[in-house]
PDB file of all heavy atoms in Angstrom:
ATOM      1  N   VAL A   1     111.460  85.312 105.294  1.00 65.00           N
ATOM      2  CA  VAL A   1     110.468  86.339 105.533  1.00 65.00           C
ATOM      3  C   VAL A   1     109.221  85.590 106.314  1.00 65.00           C
ATOM      4  O   VAL A   1     108.696  86.162 107.203  1.00 65.00           O
ATOM      5  CB  VAL A   1     109.788  86.812 104.184  1.00 65.00           C
ATOM      6  CG1 VAL A   1     108.554  87.595 104.509  1.00 65.00           C
ATOM      7  CG2 VAL A   1     110.903  87.685 103.526  1.00 65.00           C
ATOM      8  N   GLY A   2     108.898  84.362 106.052  1.00 57.00           N
ATOM      9  CA  GLY A   2     107.893  83.664 106.728  1.00 57.00           C
ATOM     10  C   GLY A   2     108.314  83.405 108.066  1.00 57.00           C
ATOM     11  O   GLY A   2     107.443  83.385 108.980  1.00 57.00           O
ATOM     12  N   LEU A   3     109.498  82.959 108.331  1.00 59.00           N
ATOM     13  CA  LEU A   3     109.988  82.605 109.621  1.00 59.00           C
ATOM     14  C   LEU A   3     110.360  83.868 110.543  1.00 59.00           C
ATOM     15  O   LEU A   3     110.028  83.780 111.622  1.00 59.00           O
ATOM     16  CB  LEU A   3     111.257  81.782 109.627  1.00 59.00           C
ATOM     17  CG  LEU A   3     110.926  80.470 108.872  1.00 59.00           C
ATOM     18  CD1 LEU A   3     112.333  79.668 108.676  1.00 59.00           C
ATOM     19  CD2 LEU A   3     110.029  79.552 109.515  1.00 59.00           C
ATOM     20  N   PHE A   4     111.063  84.905 110.001  1.00 63.00           N
ATOM     21  CA  PHE A   4     111.407  85.990 110.683  1.00 63.00           C
ATOM     22  C   PHE A   4     111.116  87.354 110.044  1.00 63.00           C
ATOM     23  O   PHE A   4     112.001  88.021 109.577  1.00 63.00           O
ATOM     24  CB  PHE A   4     113.059  85.958 110.822  1.00 63.00           C
ATOM     25  CG  PHE A   4     113.523  84.681 111.375  1.00 63.00           C
ATOM     26  CD1 PHE A   4     114.236  83.769 110.527  1.00 63.00           C
ATOM     27  CD2 PHE A   4     113.414  84.273 112.689  1.00 63.00           C
ATOM     28  CE1 PHE A   4     114.701  82.668 110.935  1.00 63.00           C
ATOM     29  CE2 PHE A   4     113.897  83.036 113.155  1.00 63.00           C
ATOM     30  CZ  PHE A   4     114.613  82.145 112.277  1.00 63.00           C
ATOM     31  N   PRO A   5     109.801  87.665 109.965  1.00 60.00           N
ATOM     32  CA  PRO A   5     109.323  88.778 109.329  1.00 60.00           C
ATOM     33  C   PRO A   5     110.039  90.100 109.788  1.00 60.00           C
ATOM     34  O   PRO A   5     110.526  90.910 108.953  1.00 60.00           O
ATOM     35  CB  PRO A   5     107.869  88.882 109.491  1.00 60.00           C
ATOM     36  CG  PRO A   5     107.606  87.988 110.608  1.00 60.00           C
ATOM     37  CD  PRO A   5     108.795  86.995 110.614  1.00 60.00           C
ATOM     38  N   ASN A   6     110.169  90.229 111.048  1.00 63.00           N
ATOM     39  CA  ASN A   6     110.752  91.608 111.611  1.00 63.00           C
ATOM     40  C   ASN A   6     112.265  91.521 111.424  1.00 63.00           C
ATOM     41  O   ASN A   6     112.794  92.610 110.953  1.00 63.00           O
ATOM     42  CB  ASN A   6     110.463  91.657 113.115  1.00 63.00           C
ATOM     43  CG  ASN A   6     109.086  91.714 113.415  1.00 63.00           C
ATOM     44  OD1 ASN A   6     108.285  92.527 112.602  1.00 63.00           O
ATOM     45  ND2 ASN A   6     108.533  91.246 114.482  1.00 63.00           N
ATOM     46  N   PHE A   7     112.955  90.465 111.424  1.00 65.00           N
ATOM     47  CA  PHE A   7     114.424  90.403 111.301  1.00 65.00           C
ATOM     48  C   PHE A   7     114.728  90.790 109.841  1.00 65.00           C
ATOM     49  O   PHE A   7     115.595  91.593 109.621  1.00 65.00           O
ATOM     50  CB  PHE A   7     114.881  88.954 111.608  1.00 65.00           C
ATOM     51  CG  PHE A   7     116.298  88.805 111.432  1.00 65.00           C
ATOM     52  CD1 PHE A   7     117.267  89.598 112.098  1.00 65.00           C
ATOM     53  CD2 PHE A   7     116.793  87.960 110.435  1.00 65.00           C
ATOM     54  CE1 PHE A   7     118.602  89.449 111.951  1.00 65.00           C
ATOM     55  CE2 PHE A   7     118.245  87.793 110.317  1.00 65.00           C
ATOM     56  CZ  PHE A   7     119.140  88.458 110.913  1.00 65.00           C
ATOM     57  N   THR A   8     113.935  90.136 108.867  1.00 64.00           N
ATOM     58  CA  THR A   8     114.303  90.303 107.420  1.00 64.00           C
ATOM     59  C   THR A   8     113.962  91.899 107.167  1.00 64.00           C
ATOM     60  O   THR A   8     114.675  92.396 106.222  1.00 64.00           O
ATOM     61  CB  THR A   8     113.525  89.422 106.501  1.00 64.00           C
ATOM     62  OG1 THR A   8     112.195  89.409 106.953  1.00 64.00           O
ATOM     63  CG2 THR A   8     114.107  87.923 106.596  1.00 64.00           C
ATOM     64  N   LYS A   9     112.906  92.379 107.707  1.00 66.00           N
ATOM     65  CA  LYS A   9     112.672  93.781 107.490  1.00 66.00           C
ATOM     66  C   LYS A   9     113.698  94.671 107.958  1.00 66.00           C
ATOM     67  O   LYS A   9     114.052  95.643 107.299  1.00 66.00           O
ATOM     68  CB  LYS A   9     111.386  94.138 108.198  1.00 66.00           C
ATOM     69  CG  LYS A   9     110.914  95.586 108.017  1.00 66.00           C
ATOM     70  CD  LYS A   9     109.537  95.726 108.898  1.00 66.00           C
ATOM     71  CE  LYS A   9     109.075  97.218 108.783  1.00 66.00           C
ATOM     72  NZ  LYS A   9     107.987  97.598 109.669  1.00 66.00           N
ATOM     73  N   THR A  10     114.303  94.347 109.109  1.00 69.00           N
ATOM     74  CA  THR A  10     115.417  95.163 109.621  1.00 69.00           C
ATOM     75  C   THR A  10     116.672  95.023 108.572  1.00 69.00           C
ATOM     76  O   THR A  10     117.354  96.040 108.455  1.00 69.00           O
ATOM     77  CB  THR A  10     115.855  94.599 110.981  1.00 69.00           C
ATOM     78  OG1 THR A  10     114.750  94.652 111.872  1.00 69.00           O
ATOM     79  CG2 THR A  10     116.959  95.443 111.599  1.00 69.00           C
ATOM     80  N   LEU A  11     116.925  93.892 108.111  1.00 67.00           N
ATOM     81  CA  LEU A  11     117.948  93.723 107.276  1.00 67.00           C
ATOM     82  C   LEU A  11     117.810  94.555 105.983  1.00 67.00           C
ATOM     83  O   LEU A  11     118.725  94.907 105.282  1.00 67.00           O
ATOM     84  CB  LEU A  11     118.174  92.114 106.906  1.00 67.00           C
ATOM     85  CG  LEU A  11     118.763  91.399 107.980  1.00 67.00           C
ATOM     86  CD1 LEU A  11     118.908  89.926 107.548  1.00 67.00           C
ATOM     87  CD2 LEU A  11     120.140  91.924 108.519  1.00 67.00           C
ATOM     88  N   GLY A  12     116.474  94.769 105.594  1.00 65.00           N
ATOM     89  CA  GLY A  12     116.293  95.548 104.202  1.00 65.00           C
ATOM     90  C   GLY A  12     116.516  94.753 103.041  1.00 65.00           C
ATOM     91  O   GLY A  12     116.646  95.420 102.022  1.00 65.00           O
ATOM     92  N   ILE A  13     116.636  93.348 103.159  1.00 66.00           N
ATOM     93  CA  ILE A  13     116.805  92.683 101.999  1.00 66.00           C
ATOM     94  C   ILE A  13     115.611  92.545 101.224  1.00 66.00           C
ATOM     95  O   ILE A  13     114.465  92.552 101.779  1.00 66.00           O
ATOM     96  CB  ILE A  13     117.313  91.180 102.415  1.00 66.00           C
ATOM     97  CG1 ILE A  13     118.466  91.213 103.221  1.00 66.00           C
ATOM     98  CG2 ILE A  13     117.469  90.248 101.173  1.00 66.00           C
ATOM     99  CD1 ILE A  13     118.974  89.748 103.776  1.00 66.00           C
ATOM    100  N   THR A  14     115.587  92.625  99.886  1.00 69.00           N
ATOM    101  CA  THR A  14     114.484  92.602  99.036  1.00 69.00           C
ATOM    102  C   THR A  14     114.475  91.226  98.205  1.00 69.00           C
ATOM    103  O   THR A  14     115.405  90.596  97.933  1.00 69.00           O
ATOM    104  CB  THR A  14     114.453  93.628  98.055  1.00 69.00           C
ATOM    105  OG1 THR A  14     115.588  93.768  97.130  1.00 69.00           O
ATOM    106  CG2 THR A  14     114.507  95.138  98.732  1.00 69.00           C
ATOM    107  N   ILE A  15     113.184  90.878  97.834  1.00 72.00           N
ATOM    108  CA  ILE A  15     113.059  89.579  97.054  1.00 72.00           C
ATOM    109  C   ILE A  15     113.154  89.933  95.521  1.00 72.00           C
ATOM    110  O   ILE A  15     113.772  89.245  94.831  1.00 72.00           O
ATOM    111  CB  ILE A  15     111.628  88.961  97.358  1.00 72.00           C
ATOM    112  CG1 ILE A  15     111.682  88.521  98.735  1.00 72.00           C
ATOM    113  CG2 ILE A  15     111.330  87.871  96.287  1.00 72.00           C
ATOM    114  CD1 ILE A  15     110.448  87.906  99.192  1.00 72.00           C
ATOM    115  N   PHE A  16     112.469  91.035  95.143  1.00 73.00           N
ATOM    116  CA  PHE A  16     112.434  91.363  93.726  1.00 73.00           C
ATOM    117  C   PHE A  16     113.682  92.042  93.453  1.00 73.00           C
ATOM    118  O   PHE A  16     114.102  93.004  94.126  1.00 73.00           O
ATOM    119  CB  PHE A  16     111.280  92.267  93.403  1.00 73.00           C
ATOM    120  CG  PHE A  16     109.988  91.491  93.778  1.00 73.00           C
ATOM    121  CD1 PHE A  16     109.045  91.995  94.514  1.00 73.00           C
ATOM    122  CD2 PHE A  16     109.622  90.372  93.041  1.00 73.00           C
ATOM    123  CE1 PHE A  16     107.856  91.326  94.874  1.00 73.00           C
ATOM    124  CE2 PHE A  16     108.495  89.597  93.342  1.00 73.00           C
ATOM    125  CZ  PHE A  16     107.566  90.268  94.205  1.00 73.00           C
ATOM    126  N   PRO A  17     114.456  91.837  92.322  1.00 73.00           N
ATOM    127  CA  PRO A  17     115.663  92.540  91.860  1.00 73.00           C
ATOM    128  C   PRO A  17     115.486  93.996  91.744  1.00 73.00           C
ATOM    129  O   PRO A  17     114.363  94.404  91.234  1.00 73.00           O
ATOM    130  CB  PRO A  17     116.064  91.783  90.694  1.00 73.00           C
ATOM    131  CG  PRO A  17     115.333  90.545  90.733  1.00 73.00           C
ATOM    132  CD  PRO A  17     114.032  90.807  91.299  1.00 73.00           C
ATOM    133  N   LYS A  18     116.432  94.794  92.251  1.00 76.00           N
ATOM    134  CA  LYS A  18     116.320  96.280  92.100  1.00 76.00           C
ATOM    135  C   LYS A  18     116.174  96.700  90.660  1.00 76.00           C
ATOM    136  O   LYS A  18     115.408  97.681  90.394  1.00 76.00           O
ATOM    137  CB  LYS A  18     117.652  96.787  92.654  1.00 76.00           C
ATOM    138  CG  LYS A  18     117.757  96.785  94.259  1.00 76.00           C
ATOM    139  CD  LYS A  18     116.640  97.711  94.840  1.00 76.00           C
ATOM    140  CE  LYS A  18     116.883  97.767  96.369  1.00 76.00           C
ATOM    141  NZ  LYS A  18     115.837  98.642  97.074  1.00 76.00           N
ATOM    142  N   LYS A  19     116.806  96.119  89.740  1.00 79.00           N
ATOM    143  CA  LYS A  19     116.660  96.509  88.415  1.00 79.00           C
ATOM    144  C   LYS A  19     115.203  96.250  87.790  1.00 79.00           C
ATOM    145  O   LYS A  19     114.790  97.007  87.045  1.00 79.00           O
ATOM    146  CB  LYS A  19     117.725  95.739  87.484  1.00 79.00           C
ATOM    147  CG  LYS A  19     117.298  94.212  87.345  1.00 79.00           C
ATOM    148  CD  LYS A  19     118.157  93.656  86.105  1.00 79.00           C
ATOM    149  CE  LYS A  19     117.734  92.190  85.827  1.00 79.00           C
ATOM    150  NZ  LYS A  19     118.549  91.579  84.729  1.00 79.00           N
ATOM    151  N   VAL A  20     114.538  95.339  88.356  1.00 79.00           N
ATOM    152  CA  VAL A  20     113.070  95.099  87.944  1.00 79.00           C
ATOM    153  C   VAL A  20     112.390  96.241  88.533  1.00 79.00           C
ATOM    154  O   VAL A  20     111.444  96.728  87.739  1.00 79.00           O
ATOM    155  CB  VAL A  20     112.611  93.666  88.485  1.00 79.00           C
ATOM    156  CG1 VAL A  20     111.186  93.566  88.165  1.00 79.00           C
ATOM    157  CG2 VAL A  20     113.390  92.595  87.736  1.00 79.00           C
ATOM    158  N   ILE A  21     112.359  96.460  89.877  1.00 78.00           N
ATOM    159  CA  ILE A  21     111.760  97.530  90.439  1.00 78.00           C
ATOM    160  C   ILE A  21     111.938  98.877  89.787  1.00 78.00           C
ATOM    161  O   ILE A  21     111.144  99.684  89.435  1.00 78.00           O
ATOM    162  CB  ILE A  21     111.989  97.552  91.982  1.00 78.00           C
ATOM    163  CG1 ILE A  21     111.794  96.157  92.600  1.00 78.00           C
ATOM    164  CG2 ILE A  21     111.197  98.624  92.650  1.00 78.00           C
ATOM    165  CD1 ILE A  21     110.187  95.800  92.525  1.00 78.00           C
ATOM    166  N   ASN A  22     113.228  99.242  89.605  1.00 84.00           N
ATOM    167  CA  ASN A  22     113.593 100.482  89.082  1.00 84.00           C
ATOM    168  C   ASN A  22     113.030 100.635  87.564  1.00 84.00           C
ATOM    169  O   ASN A  22     112.715 101.713  87.218  1.00 84.00           O
ATOM    170  CB  ASN A  22     115.165 100.676  88.942  1.00 84.00           C
ATOM    171  CG  ASN A  22     115.680 100.840  90.432  1.00 84.00           C
ATOM    172  OD1 ASN A  22     114.914 101.152  91.292  1.00 84.00           O
ATOM    173  ND2 ASN A  22     116.974 100.428  90.559  1.00 84.00           N
ATOM    174  N   PHE A  23     113.036  99.509  86.802  1.00 86.00           N
ATOM    175  CA  PHE A  23     112.508  99.536  85.493  1.00 86.00           C
ATOM    176  C   PHE A  23     111.087  99.888  85.468  1.00 86.00           C
ATOM    177  O   PHE A  23     110.753 100.780  84.704  1.00 86.00           O
ATOM    178  CB  PHE A  23     112.626  98.246  84.856  1.00 86.00           C
ATOM    179  CG  PHE A  23     111.988  98.081  83.456  1.00 86.00           C
ATOM    180  CD1 PHE A  23     112.651  98.588  82.305  1.00 86.00           C
ATOM    181  CD2 PHE A  23     110.802  97.347  83.383  1.00 86.00           C
ATOM    182  CE1 PHE A  23     111.976  98.479  81.109  1.00 86.00           C
ATOM    183  CE2 PHE A  23     110.149  97.404  82.051  1.00 86.00           C
ATOM    184  CZ  PHE A  23     110.858  97.780  80.986  1.00 86.00           C
ATOM    185  N   PHE A  24     110.213  99.265  86.240  1.00 82.00           N
ATOM    186  CA  PHE A  24     108.825  99.469  86.295  1.00 82.00           C
ATOM    187  C   PHE A  24     108.505 101.004  86.856  1.00 82.00           C
ATOM    188  O   PHE A  24     107.676 101.755  86.179  1.00 82.00           O
ATOM    189  CB  PHE A  24     108.043  98.567  87.123  1.00 82.00           C
ATOM    190  CG  PHE A  24     107.769  97.347  86.477  1.00 82.00           C
ATOM    191  CD1 PHE A  24     108.457  96.005  86.777  1.00 82.00           C
ATOM    192  CD2 PHE A  24     106.937  97.168  85.440  1.00 82.00           C
ATOM    193  CE1 PHE A  24     108.330  94.909  86.119  1.00 82.00           C
ATOM    194  CE2 PHE A  24     106.746  95.997  84.736  1.00 82.00           C
ATOM    195  CZ  PHE A  24     107.509  94.831  85.031  1.00 82.00           C
ATOM    196  N   LYS A  25     109.330 101.424  87.946  1.00 83.00           N
ATOM    197  CA  LYS A  25     109.054 102.772  88.422  1.00 83.00           C
ATOM    198  C   LYS A  25     109.464 103.861  87.477  1.00 83.00           C
ATOM    199  O   LYS A  25     108.736 104.755  87.189  1.00 83.00           O
ATOM    200  CB  LYS A  25     109.791 102.859  89.711  1.00 83.00           C
ATOM    201  CG  LYS A  25     109.549 104.229  90.425  1.00 83.00           C
ATOM    202  CD  LYS A  25     110.253 104.309  91.769  1.00 83.00           C
ATOM    203  CE  LYS A  25     110.135 105.613  92.368  1.00 83.00           C
ATOM    204  NZ  LYS A  25     110.762 105.761  93.737  1.00 83.00           N
ATOM    205  N   GLY A  26     110.524 103.621  86.782  1.00 87.00           N
ATOM    206  CA  GLY A  26     111.017 104.677  85.818  1.00 87.00           C
ATOM    207  C   GLY A  26     110.105 104.634  84.687  1.00 87.00           C
ATOM    208  O   GLY A  26     109.930 105.805  84.138  1.00 87.00           O
ATOM    209  N   LEU A  27     109.669 103.494  84.189  1.00 87.00           N
ATOM    210  CA  LEU A  27     108.697 103.479  83.108  1.00 87.00           C
ATOM    211  C   LEU A  27     107.386 104.264  83.399  1.00 87.00           C
ATOM    212  O   LEU A  27     107.157 104.973  82.475  1.00 87.00           O
ATOM    213  CB  LEU A  27     108.305 102.059  82.615  1.00 87.00           C
ATOM    214  CG  LEU A  27     107.595 101.830  81.488  1.00 87.00           C
ATOM    215  CD1 LEU A  27     108.326 102.370  80.242  1.00 87.00           C
ATOM    216  CD2 LEU A  27     107.281 100.365  81.241  1.00 87.00           C
ATOM    217  N   VAL A  28     106.814 104.159  84.454  1.00 85.00           N
ATOM    218  CA  VAL A  28     105.675 104.834  84.812  1.00 85.00           C
ATOM    219  C   VAL A  28     105.877 106.249  85.028  1.00 85.00           C
ATOM    220  O   VAL A  28     105.142 107.193  84.453  1.00 85.00           O
ATOM    221  CB  VAL A  28     105.126 104.338  86.178  1.00 85.00           C
ATOM    222  CG1 VAL A  28     103.904 105.095  86.718  1.00 85.00           C
ATOM    223  CG2 VAL A  28     104.564 102.904  85.938  1.00 85.00           C
ATOM    224  N   VAL A  29     107.032 106.655  85.666  1.00 85.00           N
ATOM    225  CA  VAL A  29     107.345 108.106  86.087  1.00 85.00           C
ATOM    226  C   VAL A  29     107.676 108.871  84.718  1.00 85.00           C
ATOM    227  O   VAL A  29     107.071 109.849  84.463  1.00 85.00           O
ATOM    228  CB  VAL A  29     108.495 108.145  86.985  1.00 85.00           C
ATOM    229  CG1 VAL A  29     109.050 109.530  86.992  1.00 85.00           C
ATOM    230  CG2 VAL A  29     108.120 107.641  88.402  1.00 85.00           C
ATOM    231  N   ASN A  30     108.381 108.153  83.875  1.00 87.00           N
ATOM    232  CA  ASN A  30     108.683 108.821  82.479  1.00 87.00           C
ATOM    233  C   ASN A  30     107.611 108.932  81.668  1.00 87.00           C
ATOM    234  O   ASN A  30     107.469 109.960  81.063  1.00 87.00           O
ATOM    235  CB  ASN A  30     109.890 108.098  81.853  1.00 87.00           C
ATOM    236  CG  ASN A  30     111.062 107.993  82.632  1.00 87.00           C
ATOM    237  OD1 ASN A  30     111.492 109.002  83.387  1.00 87.00           O
ATOM    238  ND2 ASN A  30     112.076 107.046  82.423  1.00 87.00           N
ATOM    239  N   THR A  31     106.564 107.844  81.618  1.00 88.00           N
ATOM    240  CA  THR A  31     105.614 107.979  80.786  1.00 88.00           C
ATOM    241  C   THR A  31     104.611 109.136  81.333  1.00 88.00           C
ATOM    242  O   THR A  31     104.033 109.966  80.510  1.00 88.00           O
ATOM    243  CB  THR A  31     104.770 106.655  80.799  1.00 88.00           C
ATOM    244  OG1 THR A  31     105.628 105.658  80.278  1.00 88.00           O
ATOM    245  CG2 THR A  31     103.575 106.715  79.932  1.00 88.00           C
TER     246      THR A  31
END
């Protein structure tokens, strides 16, 4: 990300695991 910000953005790779993101988002939405 630090070396190739545009390239990594194009690839759509994420740093934080999807299950972590989905957990927090789902928790907020459901609450």
